[in-house]
Amino acid sequence: MEDLANSMDFCSINNHHRTIIHIDIDCFYAQVEMIKNPALRDCPLGVQQKNIIVTSNYIAREFGIQKCMLVTEGLQLCPQLVLVKGEDLQDYRQMSSKITTLLQSYSPLVEKLGLDENFIDVTNLVSERIEDLKGVNGFVYGEASEKCECGCKSRLTIGSHIASEMRREINSVLGITCCAGIAHNKLLAKLVCGVHKPNQQTTIFPCSSSELLLSLTSVREIPGIGLRTNEILQSLQISNVLDLRNCNLTSLQKVLGYDIAVRVKKLSYGIDDSPVKQSGKPQSIGLEDGFKKICLESEVKEKFSTLLYRLLKLLGEDGRVPGSIRVTVRKYDNARKYSHRESRQCNVAASVFINKTCDSLKESLSPKSNEKLMGIIMNLFHKIVNISKPFHLTLLGLAFTKFQERKTGKSSIASFLTNDISVQSVLNLRNIADKCERMEVASTSCSPSGSIERSGSESEPEPSPKKTRKFLYFPRCKKRPSEEGDESSPNKKLLEVDSSESLMLQDLSEPESSIENKLEESEMEEDPIISTSKEKQNTDFFECPHRVDKEVFKALPPELKNELLEAWEVEKTKMLSKIPNGAKSKQKSITEYFITK
């Protein structure tokens, strides 16, 4: 222990200020199935995935049914065992999300560990209840007479009551029972959680942490020591916690590196300073399907189609837009008698998921989008497997990755109104009202309620129709009061911005007479709130920007339209900022006719 103290900041051993609760759901999959079918509560139940019993209820465990036992072996131990297919995780994911959401009402610091476990840091909540001190709720591991003077015993005692409240609420609201462990760090909270099961809770004080660690039969039982690390430790003749404590830190550094060696050494003494990280949404959403053998492309396509259908349901519940899709294949080598996995992925346009993310979470993709996704999946598959030669597959997997939240910018609702991920360049003139005051109106290019054109020579070349968009939105403009009645320049009137409505620049080739009539109607309108009849009249001239659905945009509420304009303005600003100072574009953009330099 001296080598450890000399190699790092050892003050953390006395750092007991936190209160961490670990919640572990009892036989999670089995409980979800019993909630779905209450008739299963009174019989031995096993949840089956392929030929494995992944979990069972406690009635079945009395017959000797264990986790990951073969189905054939389980039926021999308990012939009356009821088996339920548990390969579709949708219901389990939903229940897991509900549990996590409920726990977040106690503290925002909730970290998910799989579907059935959560860490909750309730340090702040404990400090608020420090006056309400009672006896420990539930079991206590080891010594109950903690002698530490930092106040950790009082904090952990209050934590035990908070854990009890959590468990009662999970049971009353969701019908789920669970265990809880209460400690001053994540390591001890997780280890002590499983001491008394099911539907119980246990608190451990710092003075008993060494006793708990030494009770473990293998270093593999320490959370944080995985299979590979355990193999390395075994090569050093380290099989239990005591061996790990007695091992010289220098020897560990040679095989594990300094950081991991110190981490493992600290864990052996019950020291864990890792924070409870607030869990966000997963970085990937995927599904895999294992089987004995697939050797035909038609079977592969059928499996991928089924996986894609299930995966799109999960994607709809998640609500985000993926930017990439990954295909995973496990190939079996008959000659060498071993399996290995390979993966390939590629980017996917957000427009493929427009129906899934915007119209309805339960709605399937359009046939065209589904066909496009299947084409991408099979192309990736062909990069992994040469179908011209015999192949033997034992697993196929699909996953969506590189998610974007639906917010302002390219991942906002604006991007789902277009036919691809590019966002239309639209200016929000409310943010540049001072520039608008310097703009003039040419009577030969006005929209129904007035449009703006850059003043300048009539011989100025028009924007190239191939490089610019025909329509552009601008806030409604009306004549400034100071200019009313000024007939000195009938074709040029200064305008001020009225952000109550957005208008569109009409085609510059529109006949002059019709444009003048529309301008007169605009100038006569003083009230920014347009009447129903007037709004109906203006819809005759309403057009959407290029590649934006007209009916969808018109149906949006005003505040959402404003949000779109703001999002498009952000994109426009980004585009303009990329142009070097003094650089001239090869083709003139239509925006040059509205922005003064």
Side-chain angles (χ1 to χ4, degrees):
M1 187 165 178
E2 291 181 358
D3 61 330
L4 178 63
N6 295 331
S7 62
M8 66 176 186
D9 181 9
F10 202 63
C11 65
S12 61
I13 196 170
N14 293 318
N15 188 0
H16 307 151
H17 72 281
R18 295 188 299 166
T19 303
I20 310 297
I21 297 174
H22 179 256
I23 295 291
D24 186 5
I25 308 301
D26 300 324
C27 56
F28 179 51
Y29 290 3
Q31 280 206 77
V32 173
E33 295 298 338
M34 289 187 290
I35 291 174
K36 291 164 57 178
N37 184 5
L40 298 175
R41 293 186 180 276
D42 299 325
C43 61
L45 171 67
V47 179
Q48 176 184 357
Q49 291 182 354
K50 302 302 179 183
N51 61 336
I52 299 295
I53 300 175
V54 293
T55 191
S56 61
N57 63 5
Y58 285 93
I59 298 177
R61 295 182 188 187
E62 294 177 357
F63 289 87
I65 304 298
Q66 298 179 2
K67 184 180 295 185
C68 296
M69 178 179 284
L70 291 174
V71 170
T72 53
E73 185 179 352
L75 290 175
Q76 289 177 354
L77 293 174
C78 180
Q80 64 271 37
L81 179 68
V82 178
L83 294 173
V84 177
K85 293 288 186 180
E87 296 173 358
D88 188 349
L89 303 181
Q90 182 178 1
D91 293 335
Y92 310 140
R93 294 179 194 272
Q94 289 179 345
M95 180 61 75
S96 176
S97 178
K98 291 177 181 178
I99 293 171
T100 302
T101 301
L102 188 151
L103 294 175
Q104 287 171 341
S105 65
Y106 289 86
S107 170
L109 297 178
V110 178
E111 179 180 348
K112 291 190 67 172
L113 192 65
L115 293 178
D116 61 340
E117 298 181 54
N118 288 272
F119 286 111
I120 311 97
D121 188 334
V122 293
T123 305
N124 292 335
L125 183 58
V126 166
S127 63
E128 296 174 2
R129 301 188 183 184
I130 198 66
E131 302 296 332
D132 187 20
L133 184 59
K134 303 176 183 178
V136 178
N137 192 314
F139 293 94
V140 176
Y141 184 90
E143 289 290 334
S145 57
E146 173 63 51
K147 299 178 178 62
C148 182
E149 298 179 357
C150 72
C152 56
K153 182 177 182 180
S154 299
R155 291 190 292 268
L156 293 174
T157 299
I158 296 174
S160 69
H161 290 274
I162 296 175
S164 179
E165 293 175 15
M166 290 178 176
R167 294 175 50 243
R168 283 198 303 268
E169 187 170 0
I170 291 174
N171 191 10
S172 62
V173 175
L174 302 175
I176 293 287
T177 64
C178 61
C179 295
I182 304 94
H184 68 276
N185 63 37
K186 292 165 62 177
L187 169 67
L188 297 175
K190 179 173 173 59
L191 287 175
V192 82
C193 181
V195 173
H196 295 95
K197 299 185 74 172
N199 197 24
Q200 301 292 339
Q201 66 178 56
T202 310
T203 303
I204 183 171
F205 297 120
C207 64
S208 301
S209 60
S210 181
E211 179 185 350
L212 176 62
L213 267 296
L214 291 174
S215 68
L216 303 180
T217 58
S218 169
V219 291
R220 185 69 176 87
E221 297 181 41
I222 300 177
I225 296 182
L227 179 62
R228 177 58 180 159
T229 303
N230 182 54
E231 291 176 352
I232 296 175
L233 294 176
Q234 292 288 343
S235 67
L236 297 177
Q237 305 301 317
I238 298 174
S239 59
N240 54 49
V241 175
L242 186 60
D243 293 339
L244 182 56
R245 289 184 179 182
N246 294 332
C247 180
N248 187 273
L249 183 61
T250 304
S251 301
L252 289 177
Q253 286 181 225
K254 292 179 180 179
V255 294
L256 296 176
Y258 177 79
D259 292 338
I260 298 179
V262 171
R263 167 72 174 162
V264 169
K265 195 78 168 179
K266 291 172 67 177
L267 290 177
S268 70
Y269 286 100
I271 304 170
D272 180 16
D273 296 328
S274 61
V276 174
K277 299 178 181 178
Q278 184 174 353
S279 295
K281 292 184 177 180
Q283 295 181 350
S284 65
I285 298 177
L287 292 172
E288 293 182 344
D289 190 6
F291 31 80
K292 291 185 178 180
K293 183 178 181 180
I294 280 186
C295 55
L296 297 176
E297 183 183 15
S298 59
E299 294 178 322
V300 171
K301 192 170 185 179
E302 182 181 354
K303 287 286 186 181
F304 274 136
S305 180
T306 302
L307 286 173
L308 180 61
Y309 175 77
R310 294 167 54 195
L311 191 57
L312 288 173
K313 285 186 175 181
L314 298 178
L315 181 64
E317 295 171 359
D318 183 88
R320 292 174 295 169
V321 182
S324 177
I325 189 170
R326 182 174 66 239
V327 169
T328 301
V329 170
R330 186 172 67 200
K331 297 188 286 187
Y332 182 74
D333 190 321
N334 291 310
R336 300 180 181 179
K337 303 298 181 182
Y338 81 99
S339 300
H340 67 282
R341 298 165 65 106
E342 291 186 38
S343 297
R344 295 288 188 278
Q345 69 180 40
C346 70
N347 294 335
V348 181
S351 58
V352 174
F353 306 96
I354 179 173
N355 290 347
K356 188 67 181 175
T357 53
C358 286
D359 297 342
S360 172
L361 295 179
K362 300 301 181 182
E363 183 180 347
S364 300
L365 290 180
S366 65
K368 183 178 180 180
S369 295
N370 194 79
E371 182 180 354
K372 184 175 181 179
L373 275 179
M374 282 301 302
I376 294 173
I377 292 169
M378 294 307 298
N379 285 337
L380 292 174
F381 170 75
H382 290 150
K383 292 181 179 180
I384 305 174
V385 179
N386 184 359
I387 61 173
S388 63
K389 299 179 180 180
F391 59 87
H392 180 174
L393 306 180
T394 58
L395 179 142
L396 294 173
L398 287 180
F400 288 123
T401 61
K402 298 182 181 179
F403 289 101
Q404 297 179 2
E405 293 289 349
R406 294 171 56 186
K407 54 186 179 182
T408 59
K410 290 185 178 180
S411 56
S412 70
I413 191 174
S415 64
F416 297 103
L417 297 177
T418 62
N419 292 329
D420 62 13
I421 59 175
S422 62
V423 180
Q424 305 297 320
S425 299
V426 178
L427 295 179
N428 182 355
L429 293 191
R430 287 177 294 175
N431 298 329
I432 53 172
D434 55 329
K435 293 184 179 181
C436 291
E437 294 181 357
R438 299 194 299 270
M439 297 180 182
E440 296 179 343
V441 174
S443 61
T444 58
S445 59
C446 293
S447 66
S449 297
S451 297
I452 305 171
E453 181 182 354
R454 183 182 64 84
S455 60
S457 171
E458 293 180 359
S459 63
E460 187 98 5
E462 291 186 0
S464 169
K466 295 182 180 180
K467 297 294 183 180
T468 61
R469 293 180 173 84
K470 184 175 179 180
F471 302 115
L472 188 68
Y473 281 97
F474 282 90
R476 174 182 295 278
C477 298
K478 63 184 180 180
K479 188 171 63 175
R480 297 179 58 176
S482 59
E483 297 296 328
E484 292 183 0
D486 185 1
E487 301 296 338
S488 60
S489 180
N491 293 332
K492 294 182 179 181
K493 295 181 174 61
L494 292 177
L495 304 181
E496 67 178 1
V497 175
D498 182 357
S499 61
S500 61
E501 184 182 357
S502 297
L503 295 177
M504 172 202 67
L505 175 66
Q506 296 290 329
D507 193 346
L508 297 179
S509 63
E510 188 170 357
E512 181 177 353
S513 59
S514 63
I515 294 176
E516 289 179 344
N517 293 336
K518 297 169 188 174
L519 178 61
E520 291 176 0
E521 294 176 1
S522 171
E523 293 173 347
M524 292 173 61
E525 186 178 83
E526 297 295 338
D527 192 345
I529 302 177
I530 303 174
S531 64
T532 304
S533 60
K534 190 67 175 181
E535 186 176 25
K536 182 178 180 180
Q537 180 181 355
N538 287 341
T539 57
D540 297 335
F541 304 103
F542 181 83
E543 295 280 354
C544 279
H546 181 55
R547 291 156 68 182
V548 173
D549 192 300
K550 172 182 176 180
E551 297 301 324
V552 173
F553 189 85
K554 288 174 63 177
L556 296 176
E559 59 272 13
L560 193 49
K561 291 182 181 178
N562 291 337
E563 179 185 344
L564 292 177
L565 293 177
E566 292 174 358
W568 285 327
E569 165 62 354
V570 170
E571 295 302 320
K572 181 62 181 178
T573 304
K574 290 181 180 178
M575 293 173 60
L576 293 177
S577 64
K578 295 180 180 179
I579 301 176
N581 292 334
K584 294 184 179 180
S585 59
K586 295 181 180 180
Q587 297 289 343
K588 289 186 177 295
S589 168
I590 195 171
T591 57
E592 295 185 27
Y593 291 83
F594 303 96
I595 302 178
T596 58
K597 296 183 178 180

